[in-house]
Amino acid sequence: MSFGPSDCGDDIDRIMDVMTGAFAPEYGEAWNRRQVSDSLLLTGTGYCLIGADGTVGSTSEEPTAGFALTRSVFDEEELLLFAVLPQYRGKGLGAALLTEVIARARQRGIRRLFLEMRRNNPAGKLYTGFGFRTVGIRPGYYRTASGERLDALSQELHITDN
Ligand SMILES: CC(C)(COP(=O)(O)OP(=O)(O)OC[C@H]1O[C@@H](n2cnc3c(N)ncnc32)[C@H](O)[C@@H]1OP(=O)(O)O)[C@@H](O)C(=O)NCCC(=O)NCCS
């Protein structure tokens, strides 16, 4: 995981390229550039990139296909944002990125990984496959652009040593 804006060079551009293309406007989940750069000023906030060839990190010559943004406090971490561009989906890049996020969290002594998702997000299948389980529901928490209310599901993964 890379931390802070000082060492991220062009990585915020890479994150924003994915952000713009990956999140459906209907759900209002995408962050703007300011939100991303401000978040990276906070202690414990970091990101991970994945290239179209599956290479993790920002050194790949390939276009960036996806990113994860996380924030950790003590031994807990939250997956704040997680996305792969539509043209690169269904090839295992999301799973590879999540595997990397979990491995790096484990290396830093993180014990629990949290995320929040809207009910029925297809990404839930991916999370379930990694062992995340629903630990809380906020009824009608999200409001879509068309006014529909959707539940927020809080998901948790216990990270073990192996
Ligand atoms: C979620 C996301 C990152 C998955 O990326 P991806 O590269 O397509 O994921 P993978 O190819 O590694 O898929 C791994 C598994 O997840 C499941 N999965 C992921 N996306 C899915 C989708 N849209 N529909 C159904 N299953 C999906 C599948 O079970 C898949 O396993 P399979 O290949 O054996 O079928 C991507 O769909 C995305 O960016 N979505 C929009 C942003 C978003 O909703 N982020 C999560 C916010 S909580």
Side-chain angles (χ1 to χ4, degrees):
M1 196 63 60
S2 304
F3 288 95
S6 58
D7 67 347
C8 56
D10 296 331
D11 287 353
I12 294 180
D13 290 338
R14 296 184 172 102
I15 289 171
M16 291 314 297
D17 284 347
V18 176
M19 190 88 73
T20 308
F23 289 97
E26 169 76 4
Y27 302 113
E29 293 166 332
W31 291 15
N32 63 34
R33 190 183 179 89
R34 181 73 187 265
Q35 288 172 301
V36 172
S37 58
D38 282 358
S39 76
L40 290 170
L41 293 169
L42 300 173
T43 304
T45 306
Y47 62 89
C48 186
L49 303 175
I50 191 162
D53 60 352
T55 306
V56 176
S58 55
T59 51
S60 171
E61 293 298 311
E62 291 283 315
T64 299
F67 76 93
L69 186 71
T70 61
R71 173 135 200 246
S72 59
V73 179
F74 299 112
D75 63 352
E76 296 184 347
E77 185 159 277
E78 184 174 8
L79 188 56
L80 298 169
L81 290 171
F82 180 71
V84 169
L85 281 169
Q87 62 267 39
Y88 301 117
R89 286 181 195 162
K91 301 175 179 183
L93 294 179
L97 186 57
L98 190 52
T99 299
E100 185 70 16
V101 167
I102 294 167
R104 293 181 185 194
R106 181 181 289 117
Q107 281 168 10
R108 288 181 289 110
I110 300 295
R111 291 291 170 194
R112 293 196 298 168
L113 185 58
F114 293 96
L115 63 87
E116 195 156 88
M117 56 169 268
R118 70 189 128 79
R119 190 190 288 281
N120 296 336
N121 186 337
K125 206 173 157 197
L126 173 65
Y127 300 140
T128 302
F130 274 77
F132 280 88
R133 61 189 185 91
T134 301
V135 292
I137 299 173
R138 290 197 246 182
Y141 180 76
Y142 297 111
R143 187 156 187 257
T144 69
S146 55
E148 186 187 0
R149 291 278 182 186
L150 298 171
D151 296 347
L153 305 185
S154 299
Q155 308 249 298
E156 179 191 75
L157 176 73
H158 284 264
I159 297 178
T160 55
D161 288 328
N162 48 33

